């Protein structure tokens, strides 16, 4: 299991012990097998030997990572050539439903061309035909590193620790692997270094269940821990129900003792009033009123609605006292800066912010970065909540000039970063100014790329081929791979999908399949040079049937293709740029936005509720407009690199003269796309 995690998460191939003699023949065979999947060993000379079982398991893992473990059969077997005319095909289908079947040669189809339902014989014929086709000449290489078992364990341990000590929430998809690593390797964990409350809640659950010890920091953290134990949402973004809790008397005493030590117990209980009133029925705080009267009074005030929240004190209090009140809670002050700018003199706000310099070590760097970018951007923007659902916010109304506030925030960030690096000369790749820091990765999909939403990547191939694969469990399930084209003003132009197969010149669709008992696939080709519109927004839409997470399998992603044609395999694993497990709740999944003029892909990875078809959707154009500018409203790796260089008096020089190079490729000293956990914000 550790070997599999090392491959998936660290791109490390764990080899035999170093005292085993090198086997050059095995190394060549391994390189050949890996090359067919688009992987290569960057230190193949370090390879020694591997047994057959390990080899098979590793190849299976790598095949799954690229999406090559299933059969991709489009409706039109000759895709992208010889596609039927939309209207003619529709009439032939109508005639077929009336018993006049004009589809004599069904071998050109991977499913029944009339019903568009899968049939075993046509599916098997299409698989056999695909196996005879040529592969693409292009390869999207992913480098693997050969490591010894001991080095692999050390890297896995460091990976887990970096995530646990990180200053951003951990992607939910990583937790299963993290717990395997923690269970197998038992690394020492300093809980005082765990900054994210959701992370601490997960780690605290084991201590609570074994020894009834409460090691979280606030009452809300305790709710997170209980939610985790009951298999509910640890982030508390979704409503949770903790009914049925039963505490022993020692457990009740531990919780009451913990609550008694919380300095802001009243406000903390109020934040989740309904839950705490429910829990109090099992806690019986009145039983401890003599020893812990503070807790008993707090619960009595909670039930009788006698507690006033901190935010209500700020909002309803005198305007001239808001800053002094907010200085009691620096985190809330930083989150409310854009609101304050509507009513308070920016100079007063900047003076208040500078008072935080003495406690800057306790301030969250991501919070400071987000505050700076929020104040610095006032256009329409996308807000993504804890559940990973997007909604757009209109342009902020005119406010006071924020220059002084930005200067104060800049000072706080430089103060926090000062003395953290010994850099002398630095080169910063301009491209990383388009890569958003992954500060909100909790609900992001699990795939090949380590990208944050809004990040921009350059187009590298002539044809971008989107794909979706799904297999239903019981209920007939119809997914539709579609795309919306937009003009420069983000106005709807056209759509490509189930009822519009497009044109060979720019965008073309592989045909609509309406059932997936055998595993169905749809494709869209974007011929980049021929696309006339300014933006293309693809989507995977669930027309009917099972939800994404209920299916046996649901994958989606895209390939960079050099060779396309009826004689070339429709799916080629080695050309896959991104393959994502589509498992979250929603009516549609939006993978990326294609900026045609900039020749860039903007990573979206958002799930959306709404209509079952892309045409006529009023929300997608507004979302596309906001996501196109997302990197300007959020902290980027480039922005943070600049702050590190300024804070530590490093000189920015040409790459050839730089001691430290920061970019998004492996030939840089720091490849930002490989940073995880605490490394994301520390550049280490």
């Amino acid at each position: 299991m550790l070997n599999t995690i090392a491959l998936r998460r660290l791109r490390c191939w764990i080899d035999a012990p170093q005292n085993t003699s090198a086997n050059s023949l095995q190394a060549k065979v391994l390189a050949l097998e890996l090359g067919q999947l688009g992987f290569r060993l960057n230190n193949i000379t370090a390879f020694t030997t591997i047994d057959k079982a390990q080899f098979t398991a590793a190849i299976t893992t790598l095949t799954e990572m690229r999406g090559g473990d299933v059969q991709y059969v489009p409706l039109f077997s000759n895709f992208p050539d010889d596609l039927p005319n939309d209207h003619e095909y529709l009439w032939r289908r109508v005639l077929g439903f009336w018993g006049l079947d004009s589809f004599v040669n069904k071998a050109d189809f991977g499913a029944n061309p009339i019903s568009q339902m899968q049939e075993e014989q046509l599916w098997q014929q299409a698989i056999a035909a695909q196996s005879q086709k040529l592969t693409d000449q292009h390869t999207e290489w992913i480098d693997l590193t050969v490591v010894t078992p001991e080095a692999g364990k050390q890297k896995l341990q460091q990976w887990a620790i970096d995530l646990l000590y990180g200053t951003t929430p951990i992607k939910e998809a990583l937790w299963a692997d993290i717990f395997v690593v923690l269970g197998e390797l038992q690394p020492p964990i300093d809980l005082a270094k765990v900054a994210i409350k959701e992370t601490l809640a997960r780690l605290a659950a084991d201590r609570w269940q074994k020894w009834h010890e409460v090691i979280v920091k606030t009452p809300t953290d305790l709710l997170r821990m209980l939610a985790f134990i009951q298999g509910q949402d640890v982030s508390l973004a979704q409503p949770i129900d903790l009914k049925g809790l039963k505490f022993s008397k020692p457990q009740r005493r531990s919780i009451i003792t913990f609550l008694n030590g919380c300095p802001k117990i009243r406000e903390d209980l109020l934040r989740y009033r309904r839950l705490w009133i429910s829990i109090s029925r099992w806690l019986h705080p009145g039983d401890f009123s003599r020893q812990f009267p503070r807790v008993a009074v707090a619960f009595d005030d909670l039930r009788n609605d006698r507690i006033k929240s901190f935010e209500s004190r700020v909002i309803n209090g005198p305007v001239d006292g808001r800053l002094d009140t907010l200085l009691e809670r620096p985190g809330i002050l930083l989150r409310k800066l854009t609101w304050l700018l509507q009513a308070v003199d920016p100079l007063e706000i900047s003076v208040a912010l500078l008072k935080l310099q003495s406690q800057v070590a306790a301030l969250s760097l991501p919070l400071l970065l987000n505050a700076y970018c929020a104040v610095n951007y006032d256009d329409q923007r996308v807000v993504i909540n804890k559940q990973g659902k997007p909604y757009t916010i209109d342009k902020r109304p005119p406010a006071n000039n924020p220059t002084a506030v930005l200067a104060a925030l800049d000072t706080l960030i430089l103060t926090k970063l000062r003395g953290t690096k010994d850099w002398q000369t630095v080169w910063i790749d301009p491209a990383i100014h388009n890569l958003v820091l992954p500060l909100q990765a909790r609900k992001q999909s699990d795939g090949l790329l380590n990208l944050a939403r809004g990040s921009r990547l350059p187009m590298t191939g002539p044809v971008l081929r989107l794909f979706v694969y799904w297999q239903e469990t019981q209920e007939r399930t119809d997914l539709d791979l579609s795309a919306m084209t937009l003009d420069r003003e983000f106005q709807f132009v056209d759509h490509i999908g189930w009822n519009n197969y497009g044109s060979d010149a720019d965008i073309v669709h592989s045909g609509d399949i309406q059932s997936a008992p055998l595993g169905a696939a749809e494709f869209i080709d974007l011929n980049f040079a021929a696309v006339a519109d300014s933006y293309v927004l693809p989507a995977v839409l669930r027309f009917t049937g099972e939800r994404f997470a209920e299916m046996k399998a649901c994958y989606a992603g895209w390939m960079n293709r050099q060779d396309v044609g009826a004689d070339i395999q429709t799916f080629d694993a080695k050309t896959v740029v991104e393959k994502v497990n589509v498992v979250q709740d929603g009516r549609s999944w939006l993978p990326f936005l294609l900026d045609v003029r900039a020749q860039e892909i903007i990573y979206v990875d958002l799930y959306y509720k709404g209509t079952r078809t892309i045409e006529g959707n009023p929300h997608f154009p507004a979302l596309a407009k906001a996501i196109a500018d997302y990197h300007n409203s959020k902290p980027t790796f480039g922005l943070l690199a600049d702050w590190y260089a300024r804070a530590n008096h490093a000189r920015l020089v040409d790459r050839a003269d730089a001691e430290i190079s920061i970019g998004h490729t492996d030939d840089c000293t720091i490849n930002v796309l490989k940073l995880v956990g605490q490394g994301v914000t520390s550049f280490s």
Side-chain angles (χ1 to χ4, degrees):
M1 189 61 182
L2 291 179
N3 290 11
T4 299
I5 297 173
L7 271 177
R8 284 207 317 260
R9 304 304 179 192
L10 304 178
R11 308 291 192 260
C12 287
W13 181 288
I14 295 181
D15 196 10
Q18 286 184 327
N19 60 1
T20 305
S21 59
N23 189 322
S24 59
L25 179 59
Q26 279 192 340
K28 291 177 182 178
V29 172
L30 176 59
L32 180 62
E33 290 278 352
L34 293 177
Q36 293 176 350
L37 294 170
F39 293 96
R40 60 189 176 192
L41 298 175
N42 58 20
N43 61 338
I44 195 168
T45 56
F47 176 80
T48 55
T49 189
I50 191 169
D51 66 35
K52 184 176 180 180
Q54 286 178 313
F55 177 84
T56 302
I59 292 297
T60 299
T61 297
L62 295 173
T63 304
E64 291 174 352
M65 287 169 61
R66 286 318 262 273
D69 57 319
V70 296
Q71 299 290 345
Y72 294 82
V73 176
L75 177 63
F76 305 138
S77 294
N78 291 326
F79 172 81
D81 301 336
D82 305 325
L83 301 186
N85 175 274
D86 297 327
H87 300 293
E88 178 187 340
Y89 176 57
L90 175 60
W91 279 111
R92 292 177 71 186
R93 289 186 64 208
V94 171
L95 292 173
F97 278 116
W98 286 97
L100 301 174
D101 187 354
S102 61
F103 295 99
V104 178
N105 185 13
K106 289 188 172 64
D108 290 339
F109 298 90
N112 188 308
I114 299 173
S115 66
Q116 296 181 331
M117 302 290 186
Q118 286 192 315
E119 295 179 0
E120 176 77 29
Q121 182 179 358
L122 293 175
W123 188 73
Q124 292 289 357
Q125 288 176 357
I127 291 175
Q130 286 287 331
S131 67
Q132 300 301 312
K133 295 183 179 183
L134 302 173
T135 60
D136 200 310
Q137 298 179 68
H138 177 68
T139 300
E140 287 286 324
W141 290 108
I142 296 178
D143 286 343
L144 304 176
T145 302
V146 176
V147 297
T148 64
E150 188 58 38
K153 291 178 181 178
Q154 291 175 358
K155 287 180 177 293
L156 283 169
Q157 181 170 304
Q158 189 60 53
W159 170 77
I161 293 297
D162 282 342
L163 287 168
L164 297 180
Y165 293 168
T167 55
T168 60
I170 296 172
K171 187 187 298 185
E172 288 184 352
L174 297 179
W175 273 108
D177 287 347
I178 291 172
F179 279 129
V180 169
V181 172
L182 296 181
E184 291 284 334
L185 302 182
Q186 297 289 319
I189 301 171
D190 184 353
L191 295 174
K193 293 182 179 180
V194 178
I196 299 300
K197 296 177 179 181
E198 296 168 29
T199 302
L200 182 60
R202 284 178 163 92
L203 298 177
D206 183 64
R207 193 81 65 94
W208 167 255
Q209 291 175 314
K210 287 181 178 177
W211 299 294
H212 305 158
E213 183 181 353
V214 181
I215 60 172
V216 292
K217 299 175 183 178
T218 69
T220 301
D221 296 344
L222 182 62
L223 292 179
R224 298 182 199 278
M225 183 190 77
L226 296 174
F228 174 69
I229 291 172
Q230 291 202 339
Q232 300 188 56
D233 182 18
V234 183
S235 72
L236 305 182
Q238 298 178 350
I240 65 171
D241 185 356
L242 297 177
K243 290 181 180 179
L245 285 175
K246 291 184 179 180
F247 298 121
S248 65
K249 190 165 185 178
Q251 288 176 321
R252 289 165 52 206
R253 178 175 293 277
S254 293
I255 292 175
I256 296 294
T257 303
F258 162 73
L259 293 174
N260 188 65
C262 296
K264 299 181 178 65
I265 179 176
R266 290 161 56 84
E267 292 174 5
D268 286 337
L269 293 179
L270 181 62
R271 188 170 290 114
Y272 290 92
R273 182 173 183 269
R274 178 188 62 82
L275 278 174
W276 280 113
I277 289 176
S278 176
I279 291 173
S280 68
R281 299 189 183 102
W282 289 275
L283 278 180
H284 305 296
D287 293 353
F288 302 89
S289 58
R290 289 188 178 181
Q291 187 176 0
F292 303 109
R294 180 169 171 267
V295 177
V297 170
F299 273 100
D300 186 61
D301 289 344
L302 185 71
R303 292 190 197 95
N304 292 285
D305 204 17
R306 292 193 292 260
I307 303 176
K308 187 177 181 181
S309 71
F310 179 80
E311 293 206 6
S312 69
R313 286 168 49 199
V314 173
I315 295 172
N316 300 321
V319 175
D320 58 359
R322 284 177 178 171
L323 284 174
D324 289 335
T325 303
L326 283 168
L327 281 170
E328 299 174 20
R329 301 278 190 93
I332 296 178
L333 169 59
L334 291 169
R335 291 185 180 93
K336 286 192 170 295
L337 287 178
T338 55
W339 173 73
L340 284 171
L341 276 168
Q342 306 300 317
V344 181
D345 187 336
L347 288 176
E348 293 182 24
I349 300 175
S350 65
V351 170
L353 289 172
L354 291 175
K355 291 179 181 179
L356 299 177
Q357 279 187 277
S358 61
Q359 49 185 307
V360 73
L363 296 179
S364 163
L365 179 58
L367 183 56
L368 286 169
L369 300 176
N370 277 321
Y372 182 93
C373 292
V375 172
N376 197 40
Y377 188 84
D378 63 357
D379 206 346
Q380 183 188 60
R381 66 189 188 278
V382 173
V383 174
I384 302 168
N385 62 22
K386 286 185 177 182
Q387 299 178 44
K389 298 295 187 296
Y391 58 95
T392 55
I393 294 180
D394 291 335
K395 184 174 181 178
R396 200 166 63 223
N400 294 321
N401 190 325
T403 303
V405 176
L406 290 171
L409 288 169
D410 183 71
T411 299
L412 289 176
I413 294 170
L414 292 174
T415 302
K416 187 170 184 66
L417 300 181
R418 189 165 296 130
T420 56
K421 302 293 180 185
D422 58 357
W423 298 345
Q424 301 298 317
T425 55
V426 178
W427 174 76
I428 300 173
D429 187 344
I432 69 171
H433 284 278
N434 289 335
L435 298 179
V436 177
L437 286 169
L439 303 182
Q440 199 177 0
R442 177 191 294 105
K443 286 289 185 178
Q444 282 200 212
S445 301
D446 193 24
L448 287 171
L449 297 175
N450 185 24
L451 289 176
R453 299 183 181 102
S455 294
R456 286 173 166 258
L457 291 176
M459 276 287 299
T460 58
V463 176
L464 195 70
R465 176 168 290 177
L466 286 77
F467 66 90
V468 62
Y469 171 90
W470 75 101
Q471 186 175 11
E472 60 204 37
T473 302
Q474 291 180 328
E475 182 182 354
R476 182 180 77 83
T477 301
D478 179 9
L479 298 189
D480 291 322
L481 181 61
S482 303
M484 174 185 290
T485 59
L486 306 165
D487 62 18
R488 290 184 61 181
E489 303 303 320
F490 295 93
Q491 298 298 310
F492 175 82
V493 176
D494 199 359
H495 79 280
I496 305 298
W498 65 279
N499 60 351
N500 182 12
Y501 301 132
S503 162
D504 298 5
D506 52 7
I507 308 177
V508 64
H509 193 284
S510 69
D512 181 35
I513 297 180
Q514 298 187 30
S515 69
L518 305 172
E522 293 182 12
F523 299 86
I524 289 179
D525 272 8
L526 300 170
N527 297 292
F528 190 68
V531 176
D533 299 304
S534 296
Y535 297 94
V536 180
L537 181 65
V540 174
L541 300 114
R542 184 169 56 87
F543 185 80
T544 189
E546 299 163 348
R547 293 185 297 178
F548 292 129
E550 295 173 336
M551 300 179 218
K552 288 183 180 178
C554 188
Y555 315 133
W558 63 88
M559 298 171 265
N560 273 336
R561 298 299 297 262
Q562 181 72 37
D563 304 318
V564 293
D567 60 336
I568 305 295
Q569 290 181 7
T570 307
F571 182 88
D572 191 337
K574 69 179 186 298
T575 68
V576 172
V577 179
E578 174 67 311
K579 176 253 181 180
V580 168
N581 297 316
V582 185
V583 295
Q584 295 185 33
D585 189 27
R587 175 64 68 179
S588 57
W589 177 65
L590 308 180
F592 65 85
L593 173 67
L594 179 62
D595 186 335
V596 178
R597 296 184 67 201
Q599 300 186 19
E600 291 176 332
I601 290 174
I602 306 167
Y603 192 55
V604 176
D605 184 31
L606 288 173
Y607 291 79
Y608 213 90
K609 296 181 179 179
T611 59
R612 299 183 295 174
T613 57
I614 201 168
E615 58 270 27
N617 190 307
H619 304 293
F620 284 1
L623 178 64
K625 180 180 179 181
I627 206 73
D629 231 14
Y630 194 74
H631 68 293
N632 290 324
S633 65
K634 290 293 181 179
T636 65
F637 279 109
L639 192 60
L640 183 56
D642 284 340
W643 264 312
Y644 265 110
R646 289 169 52 211
N648 294 282
H649 306 292
R651 288 190 301 113
L652 298 180
V653 297
D654 293 336
R655 182 170 188 176
D657 302 321
E659 171 199 10
I660 301 293
S661 58
I662 307 174
H664 62 92
T665 55
D666 284 335
D667 58 346
C668 293
T669 311
I670 300 173
N671 179 352
V672 298
L673 294 183
K674 289 193 172 180
L675 300 177
V676 298
Q678 60 184 342
V680 169
T681 51
S682 67
F683 278 9
S684 60

